[in-house]
Amino acid sequence: MVTRKDGLKYNDKIILAPMVRVGTLPMRLLALHYGADIVYSEEIIDWKLLKSVRIVNDALGTIDYIDKSDGTIVFRTCAIEKNKVVVQLGTCDPSRALKVGKMIENDVAGIDINMGCPKEFSLKGGMGATLLTQPEKAKAILSILVKNVSIPVTCKIRVFEDMEAMISLVKELASTGISAIAVHGRTKIERPQHLNRNSMIAAVAQAINIPVIANGGSREIDKYSDILKFRDECGASSVMIARAAEANCSIFCQDGMKHLEDVIVAYLKLAVDYDNSPSNTKYCVQNMLKELQETPKGKRFLECQTLEQICSIWHLGGYCRQRQLEFQAKGMLGRREISPDMFNESPKRSKLDAVEDLDVYAVKCAFIRVNFHDPDLPKSRLISYCGKNKLKVPKYKIINKDKLFRAIVTVDERRYTSSYWEKNKRFAEQGAALSCCVGLGLIDRTTLVTNGSILE
């Protein structure tokens, strides 16, 4: 058994729960800023981490686990949260779980195994709540981690209809040596509109001698004191907050919640400082705005596609652009810099290399859909240009590598491309057309700088 360092303790803690697409680095840091003691990542599937590459990102001051196939950030963390962040792992295989555990144990404070997710994806993959029906496999996953990693291991479950069966299972799970167990007070078929079974959480707390973390009480939690009330009703050691924190992360503030606008601004600054993806940032802000998305401001926000556009709604557009330029000057490896094979020690020469040996006009520009109306899409402009000048219609060549795409368009026997790798064929063609429009003078380069297609 691995000798443990002085690690994370789960007694008397208020915790940010694992939430898909919400528990990324900016939200975790915001929760810690407002008073959370421990923060969980969103659930990350084991094979996603195993297929990633670990990068020290000096520009951001982070550790990044990056999907080698498309540059997506699988997990990003930093020194501020190192002793307080728990990665929740989706797994159904002890050996894979251990490989991930050894891979991340020096970057995080704990590992949690998801045994409660009721979503179809998890259930079909043998993960989440499926493990509650396979106690031997569940125990094997926990045991191998407890014995071989140097950080605390926990699991998160849901209650059963059958109290006796539930108590029997949690005793078995606790016997593996885990440091705590989180219990969501609804069964796998129940949803937020159903009452949380606080008495069943209390029964678990009475039955085992490790910390029990109560979860599922957000519908009754409107302020900090409600968190403590929920903990006491459940007889639990600690409390894990999901939906209440998702809506307003300042629920963790002991001195009272902050105004939602201030919370959004604080979140956006962290999203900028840690180069969070625009889609993830937008999703988190949507969950804060809720019905406010129907206001004029909310509707402008919904039209945004880039991080700078989102930030501009809250008067942070200049801050976002400044920080992105700073990161670029530091040589940050961001989404715009990702290319196929860049993480391979011996990248193979691709078809694109051969093409780029020829005379190709290249501009590093991203196609941002919201910047163009249908009649004025770059491809449409090129077709119109060719028609007016009696040229052959533009001809596109697609280069696909892993999950990334680039295109080369030929117009009047000249080739044009965007050196930015897109995530789908359609955007790659529009990117090539956009570069061509710049080369032909149909679109001014400064316009693309202004709207964020070109970062300089």
Side-chain angles (χ1 to χ4, degrees), residues 260-261 264 289-303 313-314:
L260 184 61
E261 286 287 295
I264 291 174
L289 288 176
K290 294 183 176 178
E291 65 277 0
L292 294 176
Q293 293 176 72
E294 297 303 315
T295 64
K297 185 175 186 178
K299 289 179 179 178
R300 294 201 311 274
F301 159 73
L302 291 176
E303 294 175 353
I313 302 295
W314 281 272

Side-chain angles (χ1 to χ4, degrees), residues 52 61-62 69 75 89 111 116 132 161 166 194 233 257 273 278 353 357 359 411 443 452:
S52 71
T62 60
S69 67
F75 175 65
L89 189 63
I111 297 172
L132 299 179
E161 290 283 358
M166 183 185 68
H194 295 99
E233 287 180 359
M257 292 175 66
D273 290 343
D353 297 320
D357 287 341
D359 182 22
V411 174
I443 296 178

Side-chain angles (χ1 to χ4, degrees), residues 192-415:
Q193 64 267 27
H194 295 99
L195 288 175
N196 206 57
R197 306 186 188 209
N198 296 351
S199 61
M200 297 193 81
I201 299 177
V204 172
Q206 287 291 320
I208 56 178
N209 59 3
I210 61 172
V212 170
I213 305 166
N215 181 225
S218 282
R219 66 182 278 181
E220 284 84 39
I221 293 175
D222 295 315
K223 54 187 180 298
Y224 186 85
S225 61
D226 293 335
I227 300 175
L228 305 182
K229 180 181 177 183
F230 174 62
R231 180 195 62 191
D232 294 342
E233 287 180 359
C234 294
S237 305
S238 298
V239 175
M240 182 176 276
I241 306 298
R243 293 178 184 273
E246 176 184 80
N248 188 324
C249 201
S250 67
I251 191 72
F252 294 107
C253 288
Q254 294 189 41
D255 58 352
M257 292 175 66
K258 311 303 179 186
H259 191 280
L260 184 61
E261 286 287 295
D262 295 333
V263 174
I264 291 174
V265 167
Y267 170 77
L268 288 175
K269 284 184 177 179
L270 287 168
V272 169
D273 290 343
Y274 291 95
D275 195 40
N276 201 48
S277 79
S279 60
N280 180 255
T281 301
K282 187 173 183 178
Y283 179 83
C284 290
V285 175
Q286 281 181 282
N287 280 285
M288 297 184 218
L289 288 176
K290 294 183 176 178
E291 65 277 0
L292 294 176
Q293 293 176 72
E294 297 303 315
T295 64
K297 185 175 186 178
K299 289 179 179 178
R300 294 201 311 274
F301 159 73
L302 291 176
E303 294 175 353
C304 296
Q305 189 174 335
T306 69
L307 193 56
E308 184 177 341
Q309 289 168 348
I310 295 169
C311 287
S312 294
I313 302 295
W314 281 272
H315 309 294
L316 292 171
Y319 177 76
C320 181
R321 175 66 67 97
Q322 177 189 345
R323 293 292 282 157
Q324 288 180 333
L325 290 172
E326 289 173 6
F327 298 150
Q328 184 174 270
K330 291 179 180 179
M332 185 185 75
L333 178 63
R335 177 67 188 86
R336 290 175 184 258
E337 288 69 46
I338 294 297
S339 63
D341 295 326
M342 67 184 304
F343 300 114
N344 294 339
E345 293 182 4
S346 302
K348 295 180 180 179
R349 186 173 174 80
S350 69
K351 293 178 181 178
L352 183 63
D353 297 320
V355 172
E356 288 189 329
D357 287 341
L358 303 175
D359 182 22
V360 180
Y361 179 86
V363 178
K364 190 171 188 177
C365 56
F367 172 67
I368 300 172
R369 180 65 180 85
V370 73
N371 290 337
F372 300 92
H373 299 294
D374 285 342
D376 294 322
L377 288 168
K379 289 182 68 175
S380 301
R381 292 194 186 192
L382 278 191
I383 290 173
S384 176
Y385 170 84
C386 290
K388 289 178 181 178
N389 291 278
K390 298 182 179 177
L391 302 173
K392 292 181 181 179
V393 295
K395 184 178 180 181
Y396 292 88
K397 178 181 177 63
I398 291 291
I399 298 95
N400 172 218
K401 187 76 173 179
D402 292 325
K403 299 177 185 177
L404 297 172
F405 296 83
R406 275 180 64 185
I408 295 172
V409 62
T410 301
V411 174
D412 196 20
E413 299 184 355
R414 284 209 63 191
R415 298 177 178 85

